[in-house]
């Protein structure tokens, strides 16, 4: 399944599966022409795949495209809440979220909470809030509950 875009080769999401989903949703009411999100409803879970837009740096090195990213994050959160409510299944939220959620997610720790795209406090806070409000668990790093 894929979400084709107007600007082929630049954006888009796709997933491959041996199990046919019950339903596929390609619309979160935001940046649809870029194909940034696709949702598959399976019998026992929901897969939400996102290619979240990244911030940019302008010619002076200042962060740009902040409003675009903020709107996308808000629409994605609304979508996650909606599919969880409508289908009542666990959600696997994955893809390229373009955000260093935790300090272990960034290769250069000095970049955390700077104005570098994917490391800003605003991006990190929005993702943290989204995970909490939707009731998701971040499984991208080491399990902090594992015995050492």
């Amino acid at each position: 399944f894929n979400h084709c875009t107007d600007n082929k080769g630049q954006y888009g999401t796709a997933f491959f599966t041996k199990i046919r989903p019950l339903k596929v949703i390609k619309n979160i009411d935001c940046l649809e022409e870029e194909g940034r999100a696709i949702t598959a409803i399976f019998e026992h879970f929901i897969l939400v795949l996102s290619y979240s837009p990244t911030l940019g740096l302008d010619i002076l090195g200042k962060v740009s495209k902040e409003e675009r990213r903020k709107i996308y994050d808000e629409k994605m959160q609304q979508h996650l809440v909606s599919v969880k409510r409508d289908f009542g299944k666990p959600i696997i939220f994955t893809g390229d979220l373009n955000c260093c959620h935790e300090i272990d997610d960034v290769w250069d720790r000095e970049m955390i909470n700077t104005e570098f795209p994917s490391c800003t406090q605003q991006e990190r806070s929005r993702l943290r809030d989204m995970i909490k409000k939707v009731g998701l668990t971040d499984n991208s790093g080491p399990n902090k509950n594992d015995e050492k």
Side-chain angles (χ1 to χ4, degrees):
F1 294 87
N2 69 348
H3 192 166
C4 296
T5 67
D6 291 341
N7 197 358
K8 295 194 184 301
Q10 188 167 1
Y11 313 109
T13 52
F15 69 94
F16 301 90
T17 178
K18 291 182 176 182
I19 303 167
R20 181 167 289 283
L22 303 173
K23 182 175 184 172
V24 175
I25 303 166
K26 297 181 179 180
N27 185 354
I28 67 163
D29 295 325
C30 186
L31 302 176
E32 293 313 308
E33 68 285 354
E34 296 180 12
R36 292 207 172 255
I38 189 167
T39 301
I41 312 299
F42 290 92
E43 183 178 359
H44 298 291
F45 66 94
I46 300 166
L47 174 69
V48 179
L49 178 62
S50 175
Y51 177 27
S52 303
T54 188
L55 299 179
L57 294 176
D58 66 17
I59 197 161
L60 300 174
K62 299 278 188 187
V63 171
S64 63
K65 303 179 184 176
E66 292 172 284
E67 189 63 22
R68 178 177 191 254
R69 174 62 189 261
K70 181 180 176 203
I71 291 168
Y72 182 86
D73 288 347
E74 290 168 355
K75 291 291 186 176
M76 179 54 74
Q77 180 173 313
Q78 291 169 6
H79 176 69
L80 291 167
V81 167
S82 175
V83 295
K84 185 175 184 179
R85 179 194 63 233
D86 293 349
F87 297 97
K89 300 175 185 193
I91 295 174
I92 299 170
F93 181 41
T94 189
D96 185 349
L97 304 182
N98 273 316
C99 182
C100 298
H101 174 234
E102 298 290 345
I103 196 162
D104 290 337
D105 297 334
V106 65
W107 62 274
D108 183 351
R109 291 174 182 232
E110 292 180 15
M111 298 185 84
I112 281 292
N113 296 331
T114 65
E115 290 304 306
F116 193 81
S118 302
C119 297
T120 68
Q121 182 61 44
Q122 294 85 352
E123 290 171 293
R124 297 178 69 233
S125 293
R126 277 196 307 272
L127 182 56
R128 189 174 298 116
D129 290 347
M130 185 184 311
I131 288 169
K132 184 176 180 181
K133 288 178 183 173
V134 179
L136 302 174
T137 302
D138 181 358
N139 288 329
S140 64
N143 187 341
K144 295 169 181 58
N145 296 322
D146 286 347
E147 289 187 34
K148 307 251 179 206

